[in-house]
Amino acid sequence: MEDDAPVIYGLEFQARALTPQTAETDAIRFLVGTQSLRYDNQIHIIDFDDENNIINKNVLLHQVGEIWHISTSPADKGVLATCYNKTSDTKVMTCAAVWRMPKELESGSHESPDDSSSNTQTLELLCHLDNTAHGNMACVMWEPMGDGKKIISLADNNILLWDLQESSAKAVLSSSAALEGKGQLKFTSGRWSPHHNCTQIATANDTTVRGWDTRSMRQIYCIENAHGQLVRDLDFNPNKQYYLASCGDDCKVKFWDTRNVTEPVKTLEEHSHWVWNVRYNHSHDQLILTGSSDSRVILSNMVSISSEPFGHMVDDDELSDQEDQHQEEKIKEPLQDSVIATYEEHEDSVYAVEWSSADPWLFASLSYDGRLVINRVPRALKYHILL
């Protein structure tokens, strides 16, 4: 029986990197990367068995350094990319690499290894994304719905588009663009839009959000002072091609129509500290997840700017006359935006929130103390959306 109670897993390491295993659409699976200066870093593969409400984990060694960002191939369950810190000659660089996990761990399973002490396995390095000329890697994005051969990395003020060749054993830089301007320009994050044939990305640097065309590598829109302070994260609405969400250190979450960027379409001000992460639900775009340094995860119902602002449309043929009249009255009134739930299971900054790629009603959040929490959209709301 599914239950709305959270399931909590402690990594025993500090952590800030979280991703669903994008190519896995049957089993509920997340990957978490650790940040430890004293020990070898690890990637924890978290399989959630939702029938029994338990977590099974496998651990992969990531010996090259602390993990700052992790992302998974949309096409190959076994392939992932990390951005990590590498110390050489007293200088710390953030590098990026593409890895393959052991074959037997590629698919989500409900079996935990029998002996938890000896189950640490190693990642196979496929290739480095060479950034010697370009600076520190902030993130790696995979082309959405792609074949896992195209990735973009953001390094300092550079956008780098790579082709993965020879079964991902080689990354070839196919094009790039640089952010021009005064001062130390640095990208903090970016997202690849699933719309426009995957030819657009959005980036954040300082308080500015920009859109880019990946074919010409030219800027297509610019939202200056999108936030009062640093912009931390971005996400595209999966169903409305011009809609983009942003969040930042001004404690706000903003929603933009990229065709007219003078004003946000909507602003959420529910957090009391920096907002690190914003994520649209992949199926029901009114559901928005945010995580913040106020230690809270907030699930909002932004139905007025969603692809179904009047709720779930019912086919006229299915209604009797009486219901029909009622339905017409209902249609005139758009549904109200609201905070659905605030989750307080974390005691430290929540650096990452992610929806499952297998179950649209399930999400994970990660706080810096290594606590991973798996939660579900409240059942009442789920049925309200579905019925």
Side-chain angles (χ1 to χ4, degrees):
M1 181 59 199
E2 76 175 53
D3 179 15
D4 285 344
V7 178
I8 298 174
Y9 168 69
L11 271 85
E12 296 162 25
F13 288 101
Q14 291 179 324
R16 60 166 72 219
L18 170 70
T19 181
Q21 187 182 17
T22 316
E24 176 59 86
T25 52
D26 297 324
I28 297 161
R29 177 176 256 206
F30 294 95
L31 276 61
V32 184
T34 66
Q35 287 204 324
S36 164
L37 289 169
R38 284 213 304 267
Y39 303 98
D40 276 339
N41 281 281
Q42 303 173 345
I43 288 174
H44 289 225
I45 302 175
I46 306 295
D47 284 308
F48 181 59
D49 171 353
D50 58 340
E51 280 176 23
N52 301 306
N53 238 27
I54 50 172
I55 280 173
N56 298 310
K57 67 151 191 188
N58 285 278
V59 177
L60 294 170
L61 277 184
H62 182 276
Q63 287 157 317
V64 287
E66 298 176 278
I67 302 170
W68 286 84
H69 185 264
I70 185 168
S71 55
T72 52
S73 163
D76 188 331
K77 292 181 192 178
V79 175
L80 59 132
T82 60
C83 299
Y84 58 89
N85 273 7
K86 184 172 124 192
T87 312
S88 53
D89 316 326
T90 67
K91 203 174 79 165
V92 179
M93 276 293 280
T94 311
C95 305
V98 180
W99 311 88
R100 180 174 283 288
M101 62 176 74
K103 199 99 193 119
E104 64 272 20
L105 293 183
E106 281 183 14
S107 285
S109 81
H110 292 332
E111 300 299 309
S112 250
D114 302 332
D115 180 10
S116 57
S117 58
S118 63
N119 68 334
T120 310
Q121 304 198 51
T122 322
L123 285 162
E124 176 198 347
L125 174 69
L126 292 176
C127 61
H128 288 285
L129 301 182
D130 179 29
N131 63 333
T132 34
H134 304 110
N136 288 303
M137 292 283 187
C139 68
V140 172
M141 304 173 261
W142 298 79
E143 180 182 35
M145 289 102 70
D147 56 6
K149 300 276 190 283
K150 271 196 167 60
I151 51 179
I152 285 177
S153 63
L154 301 179
D156 280 353
N157 64 330
N158 298 287
I159 301 174
L160 310 169
L161 177 60
W162 306 86
D163 279 323
L164 294 179
Q165 298 172 0
E166 297 165 28
S167 308
S168 304
K170 190 174 159 198
V172 178
L173 188 61
S174 62
S175 61
S176 64
L179 201 51
E180 309 290 341
K182 295 190 292 288
Q184 278 252 297
L185 294 169
K186 248 194 181 128
F187 289 117
T188 44
S189 69
R191 286 300 264 189
W192 200 323
S193 170
H195 308 293
H196 316 288
N197 292 330
C198 299
T199 56
Q200 294 186 13
I201 64 163
T203 61
N205 71 286
D206 200 29
T207 59
T208 304
V209 173
R210 296 167 203 272
W212 305 80
D213 186 316
T214 57
R215 296 161 299 187
S216 62
M217 279 302 202
R218 291 216 168 91
Q219 195 173 292
I220 42 181
Y221 55 84
C222 177
I223 312 173
E224 283 187 45
N225 301 316
H227 287 263
Q229 293 173 52
L230 186 71
V231 181
R232 291 276 174 195
D233 196 25
L234 305 164
D235 199 21
F236 283 97
N237 184 316
N239 300 324
K240 293 181 79 170
Q241 57 178 343
Y242 298 105
Y243 274 58
L244 172 71
S246 64
C247 62
D249 286 1
D250 58 1
C251 313
K252 293 175 185 170
V253 180
K254 296 187 181 185
F255 299 90
W256 307 90
D257 180 336
T258 57
R259 293 165 299 185
N260 176 15
V261 294
T262 46
E263 287 291 319
V265 183
K266 205 93 187 171
T267 302
L268 267 178
E269 303 185 47
E270 297 295 336
H271 285 288
S272 57
H273 208 276
W274 306 342
V275 187
W276 281 88
N277 234 185
V278 58
R279 287 288 176 269
Y280 275 101
N281 184 289
H282 312 305
S283 312
H284 309 284
D285 57 275
Q286 67 266 49
L287 299 178
I288 307 283
L289 211 47
T290 52
S292 158
S293 298
D294 64 12
S295 308
R296 295 184 306 161
V297 173
I298 295 180
L299 176 62
S300 302
N301 193 12
M302 302 304 290
V303 67
S304 73
I305 52 170
S306 74
S307 54
E308 293 194 342
F310 299 98
H312 188 58
M313 289 301 190
V314 182
D315 205 0
D316 284 347
D317 306 341
E318 295 168 22
L319 300 173
S320 65
D321 291 347
Q322 204 174 353
E323 279 179 321
D324 201 17
Q325 208 174 344
H326 178 64
Q327 183 72 7
E328 274 174 22
E329 284 163 27
K330 210 170 84 182
I331 283 175
K332 294 188 194 102
E333 203 43 55
L335 299 167
Q336 290 298 300
D337 296 339
S338 61
V339 168
I340 296 155
T342 301
Y343 299 90
E344 312 259 3
E345 289 92 22
H346 293 283
E347 293 165 25
D348 204 343
S349 289
V350 178
Y351 282 143
V353 291
E354 292 286 353
W355 292 98
S356 160
S357 50
D359 180 343
W361 308 105
L362 192 127
F363 58 90
S365 54
L366 176 69
S367 51
Y368 190 52
D369 53 9
R371 182 178 296 182
L372 178 85
V373 180
I374 292 180
N375 265 301
R376 292 186 180 87
V377 173
R379 232 172 318 176
L381 177 75
K382 169 179 167 176
Y383 294 127
H384 181 76
I385 289 174
L386 286 179
L387 301 176

